[in-house]
Amino acid sequence: MNKHLFVLNIRQHWVVVVGITAVLLMYASIAAWMFNPESAEAINDFLGVLPETFIKALGFDGLGTDLTTYLANYLFGFIYLMFPMLFVLFIATKLIGKPIDSGSMVYLVATPLRRSTIAITQILFLFDALFFVFAVNFIATYAVSEIRFPGMLDVAGYLILNVITYLVIGLLASIVFFMSVLPIDYGKAQGIAISFSVYAFIANALYKLSDSLSFLQYTTIFRFIDIEQALQSDATIWLTIGIVSALTLVFLAASVWVFEKRPLNI
Amino acid sequence: MIQVENVTQVYASKKGVFDLNFTVHQGEVFGYLGPNGSGKTTTIRHLLGFSNVDEGRVLIDGLDARTDRHTLQQRIGYLPGEIAFFENMTGKQFLQFLSHLRGFQTAPRMQEMIQLFQLETQFTIKKMSKGMKQKLAIVAAFMHDPDILILDEPTSGLDPLMQMVFLDLLVKEKNNGKTILMSSHIFEEVDRVCDRAAIIKDGKIIAIEDLTTLRSQVKDQLLVSFSESVDGLFHEGIEVEEVAHLQYKISIQQNFSHVLATLAKYPVISIRSASQSIEHKFLHYYQETTHE
């Protein structure tokens, strides 16, 4: 890793990192602050009036009446997928693909830095920034929950849910990053990355709507985020974590290899 | 020393570079000329190890430009033809950043270069003029005191005064034993600083010229007008050509005294220089291949 390039990334992308963190922080802290077991039941009653498919598509499939289930369903069905996805689309393609497209990459590869060092530094920044987003939000949600409802949050279950979501968003980031290092036009790479991510997001919403659409769950990486499985923390969650981590490592290793070998027309 | 040996790279469009062969010696400025799209920048990418050749190889001081590029980049200064920076930095931050990437706290010649080119480094790069960005790129290429300089149209965007400063710097670097390759469209600057020059057209090198030889082939010519007929001029042992009524073109090849003494005998009413330049020689190559 090169610390100077890492610092350059912070300088260039801190606004997006802080912005996405702040948006999620607002949602998470307000959700934790506003929780009320009685009102949660009332909200569930209210959701029961709305069409079931509509509620499921929004990821609010039974908010639950305990704090952990309530936060998990409220945040991780929709908001904690969409905003990190936007974060990935905004940052992951800009770390290698954009500098190649603009030509500024020349000032990195015309130094003694190895291309693999450049790629690994960009990957570390991407995953550290993503970790910052999730870590700050986890800590804030935990703090607000302890202040408002001491001892009510299932910290271990909620932490595992955060970890698996971080890893799945990380897998998405590794796929998008891989697309951005391919020796194809930057605009085309961005288009493929956006299409892939949006499809994964929509398929994740649609497969819950009816049995006839349930096959879509096998076509989206967001299916790896199983809120119930995460909160129960049973043994299968470790299998999921293993598969997601392995896939992520494959895409990241492939990205470094492709960037090392590809021609740079800059 | 830079050795380009049988380098071929063909793009899907069938364009590219074909069987390039040339050498740039230490202490030499080697001009690399050619029309737009002729393959100059593609060649330069191979020198820097950015691209993979289909055939051939590029060696720099015996090291392969592609596989040993990390070692070589320590010793290479590169000025890109199309300059793109990380624009939300100031000039100073950018130069410091590059210094750090090269392992310096501050590159050894950074201040010297900033002062030489009167670069105002406090401004954000985004707000700099084209000329200022070019000066920033020049400082970035020279500030770590590299042995090998690869310069793609280096004076583009510079004002005439800065062009002179840059060309003087190149001559000094050459005299200090640097190996320099410079692509250019400007024949005057090639004439001024280069020892040899290659001309590339449609991806092929069509000539490599020694500038000293080329300069000796260039004739000094005078366009002389007379007030009356001067038939005797043709018998004076000088090279004369009538170009208009009472107007003659006289070629001079180191026989200045004889020519001037001869002209003094005739009723001259005007003398103008009609000398050829190196540009004529190069354009000859361009046109020759264009007509093929």
Side-chain angles (χ1 to χ4, degrees), chain B residues 238-265:
Chain B
I238 57 176
E239 197 178 325
V240 183
E241 179 192 348
E242 187 170 4
V243 291
H245 181 58
L246 299 180
Q247 194 175 56
Y248 300 83
K249 187 183 279 183
I250 297 170
S251 298
I252 308 171
Q253 279 182 314
Q254 297 169 340
N255 54 342
F256 290 91
S257 304
H258 176 60
V259 169
L260 292 175
T262 304
L263 289 178
K265 295 191 277 184

Side-chain angles (χ1 to χ4, degrees), chain A residues 2 4-5 8 11-12 99 102-116 259-266, chain B residues 11 41 45 49-52 66 69-70 73-74 76 78 80 83-86 88-89 93-94 97-98 100-102 137 140:
Chain A
N2 183 280
H4 303 291
L5 180 55
L8 176 72
R11 195 199 302 265
Q12 289 191 315
S102 72
S104 57
M105 178 59 74
V106 76
Y107 279 105
L108 300 181
V109 293
T111 68
L113 272 190
R114 289 183 174 275
R115 286 196 198 175
S116 55
F259 183 58
E260 184 74 36
K261 299 292 178 192
R262 65 163 286 181
L264 290 173
N265 294 329
I266 48 180
Chain B
Y11 295 114
T41 301
R45 284 182 195 135
F50 291 171
S51 299
N52 305 313
R66 178 72 171 140
R69 60 182 184 269
H70 310 108
Q73 290 298 356
Q74 195 78 46
I76 294 177
Y78 174 47
I83 297 170
F85 300 106
F86 301 100
N88 55 354
M89 304 169 101
Q93 286 169 337
F94 176 70
F97 172 65
L98 289 187
H100 292 149
L101 291 188
R102 291 189 171 279

Side-chain angles (χ1 to χ4, degrees), chain A residues 171-249:
Chain A
L171 173 59
L172 176 70
S174 69
I175 294 169
V176 171
F177 187 80
F178 175 70
M179 289 168 181
S180 79
V181 302
L182 292 174
I184 57 174
D185 177 69
Y186 174 61
K188 200 177 284 178
Q190 263 194 322
I192 296 169
I194 291 169
S195 304
F196 175 82
S197 306
V198 171
Y199 170 79
F201 188 79
I202 291 173
N204 186 56
L206 290 180
Y207 88 83
K208 299 166 188 166
L209 297 185
S210 76
D211 289 344
S212 63
L213 293 174
S214 65
F215 71 94
L216 289 174
Q217 67 184 297
Y218 304 111
T219 66
T220 169
I221 60 168
F222 289 123
R223 182 65 182 90
F224 284 118
I225 302 170
D226 185 328
I227 292 174
E228 202 173 318
Q229 182 197 40
L231 294 183
Q232 286 171 356
S233 303
D234 60 28
T236 57
I237 193 71
W238 299 107
L239 180 64
T240 305
I241 286 173
I243 293 169
V244 171
S245 302
L247 285 172
T248 304
L249 287 174

Side-chain angles (χ1 to χ4, degrees), chain B residues 114-176:
Chain B
I114 288 173
Q115 283 169 7
L116 182 65
F117 288 97
Q118 299 163 25
L119 179 64
E120 295 167 7
T121 57
Q122 72 273 28
F123 297 115
T124 309
I125 296 173
K126 199 182 287 183
K127 292 182 180 171
M128 287 182 175
S129 65
K130 178 168 170 32
M132 196 63 80
K133 285 181 181 176
Q134 189 70 18
K135 289 199 277 186
L136 181 62
I138 291 171
V139 173
F142 283 78
M143 68 179 184
H144 54 290
D145 200 18
D147 303 332
I148 296 148
L149 288 153
I150 297 171
L151 313 166
D152 196 355
E153 298 181 25
T155 57
S156 167
L158 292 184
D159 63 47
L161 183 65
M162 281 300 139
Q163 286 183 18
M164 297 294 281
V165 170
F166 177 79
L167 295 177
D168 287 346
L169 174 66
L170 266 199
V171 172
K172 279 183 194 161
E173 295 299 295
K174 177 179 81 168
N175 293 337
N176 286 333

